[in-house]
Amino acid sequence: MDNNIKHALRNWRRMPFVTYGILAVTILMYLLMSFNGGSQNPYTLIIFGAKVNELIVVGDWWRLLTPMFLHIGFTHLLFNGLIVYFLGAQLEQIIGHFRYFLLYILSGLLGNAASFAVNTSISAGASTAIFGLFAATIVLGKLYPYQAGIQHLSRNYLVLIILNVVFGLFSVSVDLMGHIGGLVGGYLIMYALSSPNAFNNSKQQRFKYGALYVLVLIVLLVIGFIRTDNILF
């Protein structure tokens, strides 16, 4: 194979194209909402897939996924987009494209499930997935204790996690349970998806964390279904 082609393929593999794809979809959804009633319009949010507990119960299960690609206002989009751009690109290069994609989606899913279980309000935003990315940096710090770059990344985002959780405790506009669910989801799924070559990381341990993720998800969905069903009927 020609050296130039090899070099181009190597650069392509290093490019965080999953992060770019997530951002592209998120921005596209924001633009579509802006031209169809506005991203802060509750009716528009519902039409485009925001988390609405009553609709999830009657069959719109996809609303546990779509909220992570929607944002309420430009400031919301800007801050979340910047975090995804900088942190997402770093994590994608560390753990690979496919694992990063699963980490993002499954963290957001558990975060939205936690919100569904506890929070009755309409909600949207990438924060559920972002908190999963935060938690993944902590796990990587444990799995690679002798790599200075990963240790530095882990310490920095541990401080950010603490600050965001404390801020969420005092802000009624923040879906705190969604954030906590995203943290738990990212922590569990990062262990489940991690490399077998990582420090003290057996196949049994990875399976345990994966099974625990599924169990937590099921429990949250059952709680959300029962609570919402009782309100409706």
Side-chain angles (χ1 to χ4, degrees):
M1 185 181 290
D2 184 84
N3 286 333
N4 290 331
I5 296 176
K6 289 181 180 179
H7 182 68
L9 287 173
R10 195 177 301 116
N11 288 337
W12 168 251
R13 292 191 189 100
R14 291 175 180 172
M15 183 181 297
F17 55 81
V18 175
T19 297
Y20 295 159
I22 289 169
L23 287 171
V25 172
T26 302
I27 293 169
L28 175 62
M29 295 305 293
Y30 176 79
L31 292 174
L32 290 173
M33 287 194 296
S34 297
F35 290 108
N36 287 274
S39 66
Q40 300 184 62
N41 184 321
Y43 179 75
T44 302
L45 283 164
I46 292 171
I47 291 298
F48 277 83
K51 190 221 71 175
V52 182
N53 292 3
E54 294 82 0
L55 294 179
I56 292 173
V57 166
V58 297
D60 287 0
W61 290 95
W62 45 271
R63 291 181 184 274
L64 293 165
L65 291 171
T66 50
M68 69 185 84
F69 299 101
L70 307 178
H71 287 83
I72 305 171
F74 179 74
T75 302
H76 192 204
L77 170 69
L78 178 63
F79 281 109
N80 281 352
L82 286 172
I83 295 172
V84 172
Y85 179 78
F86 289 108
L87 177 56
Q90 291 180 77
L91 285 175
E92 187 172 350
Q93 289 183 340
I94 292 171
I95 66 176
H97 309 300
F98 184 63
R99 284 176 177 159
Y100 171 73
F101 175 76
L102 289 179
L103 170 67
Y104 192 93
I105 296 299
L106 295 177
S107 297
L109 173 61
L110 198 72
N112 288 326
S115 177
F116 171 56
V118 177
N119 181 11
T120 59
S121 302
I122 296 173
S123 63
S127 299
T128 51
I130 287 171
F131 271 79
L133 303 187
F134 288 164
T137 66
I138 306 304
V139 175
L140 288 171
K142 293 182 177 183
L143 292 174
Y144 299 95
Y146 306 113
Q147 294 196 16
I150 290 178
Q151 291 302 310
H152 179 71
L153 184 72
S154 180
R155 286 193 297 271
N156 285 347
Y157 282 100
L158 176 59
V159 174
L160 196 57
I161 289 170
I162 295 170
L163 290 175
N164 274 277
V165 170
V166 171
F167 173 75
L169 291 172
F170 299 99
S171 176
V172 295
S173 64
V174 171
D175 187 352
L176 183 60
M177 282 308 301
H179 291 181
I180 292 174
L183 274 174
V184 173
Y187 190 90
L188 296 176
I189 211 65
M190 187 66 256
Y191 266 116
L193 295 173
S194 58
S195 169
N197 298 321
F199 178 75
N200 193 28
N201 190 37
S202 65
K203 182 178 180 180
Q204 291 78 8
Q205 178 166 302
R206 297 197 307 278
F207 178 81
K208 178 185 72 175
Y209 280 104
L212 188 55
Y213 173 92
V214 174
L215 177 62
V216 173
L217 177 62
I218 291 172
V219 169
L220 290 173
L221 292 177
V222 169
I223 293 172
F225 187 91
I226 292 173
R227 290 184 75 245
T228 308
D229 200 49
N230 287 338
I231 294 171
L232 287 176
F233 304 105

